[in-house]
Amino acid sequence: MARFLAQKHLGSLRPTDSSGEDALRKIGNGEVVSIEVKRPRNVRHHRMFWALMTIVHENMDEARYPTVDDLVSAIKIAAGLRTRIVLPSGDVGFIPGSIAFHKMDQDEFSAFYDRVCDLIAKHFLPGVTSEQLRAEVETMTGLRS
């Protein structure tokens, strides 16, 4: 079965483009279908995450995390976006998870972003609240003036 984007309108879901309309036409009247509701990722929210990581990296000692990507890996693990592994020595380690658009929908990303803001305010930028951090990032990315 085809996948397509739909928009809620007056209590119904309607396709957003012609390919969605074509897919919907192939479903017979009265036919039952299964629908998985996923909100597509917001590109601006993704950009806010990277702006936040840049702010944090610029405000800390680079010896701890030499690159923004190193910081992001540590943040993902600390925020719970990780896979646990056991090394041959028996030591436990973690591999950071992915925030790729196809791996995480908008609801999942929003929850992750909130955890990241709370984590950064608590452990990386003392004296800054999670709300102040969000406001600064929104200002940086043009979402707030």
Side-chain angles (χ1 to χ4, degrees):
M1 188 98 239
R3 288 180 166 209
F4 60 91
L5 295 176
Q7 185 176 33
K8 185 175 178 183
H9 179 75
L10 300 174
S12 298
L13 292 176
R14 298 179 184 242
T16 60
D17 58 20
S18 60
S19 64
E21 289 170 359
D22 290 342
L24 189 60
R25 270 196 279 299
K26 292 177 184 174
I27 301 170
N29 284 330
E31 186 176 345
V32 176
V33 296
S34 172
I35 296 176
E36 179 182 2
V37 177
K38 281 188 156 192
R39 292 188 312 148
R41 279 278 287 288
N42 181 326
V43 173
R44 291 178 119 183
H45 202 186
H46 190 80
R47 288 184 186 141
M48 285 173 44
F49 171 79
W50 285 101
L52 174 60
M53 295 297 99
T54 301
I55 290 171
V56 173
H57 190 259
E58 289 174 352
N59 285 284
M60 60 187 313
D61 178 15
E62 282 192 25
R64 187 171 179 191
Y65 302 107
T67 69
V68 173
D69 287 335
D70 293 333
L71 171 66
V72 169
S73 291
I75 292 288
K76 287 176 179 179
I77 290 169
L81 184 60
R82 63 188 183 218
T83 300
R84 182 181 182 269
I85 59 169
V86 178
L87 301 171
S89 64
D91 292 335
V92 174
F94 297 97
I95 299 171
S98 174
I99 60 168
F101 281 67
H102 69 280
K103 295 277 188 175
M104 192 181 273
D105 71 13
Q106 183 57 39
D107 293 331
E108 293 167 320
F109 188 77
S110 290
F112 168 73
Y113 185 80
D114 289 344
R115 288 192 314 272
V116 167
C117 287
D118 294 343
L119 178 80
I120 289 170
K122 184 175 181 180
H123 297 288
F124 290 86
L125 298 175
V128 176
T129 68
S130 188
E131 292 75 23
Q132 290 169 325
L133 199 52
R134 284 183 185 88
E136 178 63 25
V137 172
E138 287 174 11
T139 300
M140 274 182 68
T141 57
L143 295 176
R144 181 186 289 199
S145 51

